[in-house]
Amino acid sequence: MTRSARRRPPAHHPSAAGPRQWIGLAVLALPTLLLAMDVTVLYLAVPRLAAGLRPSGTELLWITDVYGFMIAGFLVAMGTLGDRIGRRRLLMVGAGAFAVASVAAAYAPSAGALIIARALLGIAGATLMPSTLALISNMFRDPRQRGTAIGVWAACLSGGVALGPVVGGALLESFWWGSVFLIAVPVMGVLMVAAPFLLPEYRDPAAGRVDVISVVLSIAAMLPIVYGIKWIAHGSGVLSGLAIVLLGVAAGAVFCRRQHRIEDPLVDLRLFRHRIFSAALIVLFLGLTVTAGTYLFVTRWLQAVEGLPPLAAGLWLVPCAAAMIVTSMAAPALARRMPEGYVIGASLGISAAGFLLLALLDRPAGLPYLVAGIVIVYIGQGPLMALGTDLVVGSAPPEKAGSASAISETSTELGLAFGVATLGSIGTLAYRQAGPVPESAGIPPDLADGARDTIEGATIAAAQLPPQPAADLLDTAQRAFTDALNAVAGIGAAVTLALAVLAVIALRRPRSAGPSAAGDSAPAPVESVH
């Protein structure tokens, strides 16, 4: 075949999207941005939430991370459900449920009620994310337009995670902590009104059934593992915590066996035999794990140690969001000039340097040092977000591209939530071991218990003490929390550096495959995602 023949366009050209499709993309971008923001929007609300609901350290971690775990647990199942009942219909049902759960979370009277509301938000969110991506693929048939639209979707997803604390800080400047949930209500209202006019309906007549047992097993595997980690970190007993973890591992083993046996598995485990597929998922999952866990402690440090109000703390985090968006957009161009594995490896090396700066942070270094460290972390994370999904989907056989996409989305959400859970627990344990309450402080037992549990508890206790004991308590607690941030960031540096080496070694596609950067080739059709 001659060179010109290979470049000859096909006889049929897909029609270009018009104004209606681009307006529809804007409508779909809103819930995508909101879903990503909801993972981190609570970070700056933690001190006020702690003062209002008085949660324990374990409850506080559940409040922040149960949302992401429920999204990850139900994402693939909801994708299959959308194939059967219609993507637009599922999107609208999920939008209504998300709005109702947001109101319930905003006015939750207790920590337990807020945990339940956040879990319902996660389940509702799982109906929205696969539906938005599938509908974008339906609306934009032209490969380059579809690449641009998918790029906007990915930018909303990654940018929303970084912008969550910024928006939360702005709201907390004038309103109570529940306001961070109420922003979802008008967004979902716009979606429900505009969807019937701007978004097409789609259902797959050949879609497989939803295996309810597999859904239950996936949740039964994930939640005990996380709860066991929290149990150990809370000091409730190592052996009992390990027993809880083992229950989750056993459920995971049963889940894997079932996926091999049933006709329509939730996860096609044969995909994991592909080296690049498995390696890309590991890098994506662990990279987001350490970033999300460290980001949680950075946002709390800004308020609890630096003493910034929520809005000021949020504004100091704007450079993080900007760095991630810029490097995400630049990554595809770099991938045209060198292998994706090298781009990801180099970017993770930059991230590791940022984590190392945070691991060496001390209180005298102050705010500029902290912001420089977290910005460098996010500079390196942008290419990981931009190229990670392409490597996962591109390394799978064409007929498995839909399943690979669903697994990639699940890995992203699970990594964010797992980071908050695991590194949050490790940081909490480091804070307690650092001795946040001076032995000679003479603090009443009930206040001392709260101060030993969280930095927010120490702030609440200090407000009820005479000036000198309050100052001593805050000084000790802030030093302990800085030590906790150092420990979490040190883990992030070690993990990220190891991932950089793994990326360079394992994420190498055959040269004939070439990079499939966003916008250069059409993403796999999403009609089959389940």
Side-chain angles (χ1 to χ4, degrees):
M1 182 181 295
T2 66
R3 189 185 186 103
S4 60
R6 285 197 302 267
R7 292 183 176 178
R8 185 178 299 124
H12 173 70
H13 296 275
S15 58
R20 177 180 176 181
Q21 285 75 24
W22 290 108
I23 296 173
L25 174 63
V27 172
L28 290 175
L30 286 174
T32 302
L33 185 68
L34 183 69
L35 287 171
M37 284 171 46
D38 250 38
V39 176
T40 57
V41 73
L42 273 185
Y43 285 7
L44 291 182
V46 165
R48 296 194 184 184
L49 188 153
L53 298 181
R54 300 292 180 91
S56 66
T58 301
E59 287 176 330
L60 195 59
L61 287 176
W62 274 114
I63 289 170
T64 54
D65 62 36
V66 71
Y67 169 79
F69 276 107
M70 287 300 172
I71 284 185
F74 284 90
L75 188 63
V76 178
M78 291 302 179
T80 302
L81 183 62
D83 284 337
R84 294 178 63 84
I85 71 171
R87 293 290 187 182
R88 188 180 67 187
R89 178 182 298 179
L90 182 65
L91 184 73
M92 294 179 66
V93 171
F98 199 93
V100 172
S102 296
V103 174
Y107 294 100
S110 65
L114 183 55
I115 291 171
I116 294 172
R118 288 278 286 171
L120 294 176
L121 278 171
I123 296 173
T127 68
L128 297 172
M129 187 172 293
S131 297
T132 56
L133 187 56
L135 287 170
I136 287 172
S137 183
N138 297 146
M139 293 158 58
F140 296 90
R141 297 294 185 179
D142 179 77
R144 288 197 173 273
Q145 286 189 329
R146 184 163 56 199
T148 301
I150 294 294
V152 171
W153 180 88
C156 289
L157 193 64
S158 58
V161 172
L163 286 172
V166 180
V167 175
L171 288 170
L172 291 171
E173 193 71 13
S174 302
F175 305 102
W176 92 113
W177 61 264
S179 63
V180 300
F181 296 111
L182 293 181
I183 58 174
V185 177
V187 172
M188 295 304 164
V190 170
L191 177 61
M192 295 178 69
V193 171
F197 302 99
L198 296 173
L199 306 179
E201 182 58 286
Y202 171 80
R203 60 177 57 86
D204 183 3
R209 66 183 180 86
V210 178
D211 184 49
V212 178
I213 296 178
S214 292
V215 174
V216 173
L217 284 172
S218 67
I219 299 297
M222 186 165 49
L223 293 186
I225 291 174
V226 178
Y227 186 75
I229 294 171
K230 293 175 180 294
W231 185 275
I232 295 172
H234 193 64
S236 301
V238 175
L239 292 179
S240 55
L242 289 176
I244 297 172
V245 170
L246 289 176
L247 286 176
V249 172
V254 175
F255 172 81
C256 291
R257 287 179 57 86
R258 183 169 181 81
Q259 302 316 292
H260 282 299
R261 295 167 54 189
I262 61 178
E263 184 178 354
D264 297 309
L266 284 181
V267 177
D268 188 349
L269 298 180
R270 292 174 296 179
L271 290 171
F272 290 90
R273 298 174 185 172
H274 196 289
R275 172 179 56 83
I276 293 180
F277 181 90
S278 298
L281 280 178
I282 291 172
V283 173
L284 192 61
F285 171 77
L286 291 178
L288 291 172
T289 292
V290 294
T291 301
T294 303
Y295 196 53
L296 171 63
F297 278 83
V298 167
T299 56
R300 294 171 68 187
W301 193 94
L302 288 172
Q303 293 185 90
V305 177
E306 192 64 24
L308 296 178
L311 179 58
L315 291 176
W316 276 104
L317 295 172
V318 169
C320 301
M324 193 167 192
I325 292 172
V326 169
T327 55
S328 295
M329 300 296 289
L334 290 174
R336 298 187 194 108
R337 293 171 172 80
M338 65 181 72
E340 295 103 317
Y342 291 173
V343 177
I344 294 176
S347 67
L348 288 174
I350 294 173
S351 274
F355 280 117
L356 184 60
L357 286 178
L358 295 175
L360 299 175
L361 173 72
D362 56 16
R363 290 174 62 201
L367 187 58
Y369 190 97
L370 177 95
V371 173
I374 195 64
V375 168
I376 293 173
V377 168
Y378 271 83
I379 287 173
Q381 290 295 311
L384 174 62
M385 288 290 293
L387 301 177
T389 300
D390 178 66
L391 279 169
V392 172
V393 177
S395 63
E399 66 274 13
K400 298 295 183 183
S403 180
S405 298
I407 294 172
S408 177
E409 291 179 21
T410 302
S411 176
T412 298
E413 291 297 329
L414 188 58
L416 293 171
F418 196 69
V420 174
T422 54
L423 293 185
S425 296
I426 291 171
T428 299
L429 184 60
Y431 171 79
R432 294 181 184 131
Q433 289 183 338
V437 179
E439 294 295 335
S440 59
I443 301 174
D446 56 335
L447 295 180
D449 289 341
R452 291 189 185 97
D453 205 22
T454 65
I455 182 68
E456 292 77 20
T459 303
I460 293 172
Q464 304 178 49
L465 295 175
Q468 189 57 49
D472 292 341
L473 173 60
L474 284 177
D475 180 72
T476 307
Q478 289 171 359
R479 290 180 184 277
F481 192 78
T482 302
D483 290 344
L485 172 59
N486 296 153
V488 169
I491 294 172
V495 171
T496 305
L497 191 59
L499 292 177
V501 175
L502 176 63
V504 172
I505 295 174
L507 299 182
R508 292 181 297 179
R509 288 199 280 204
R511 294 195 58 87
S512 60
S516 54
D520 286 346
S521 62
V526 194
E527 286 87 352
S528 60
V529 173
H530 58 76

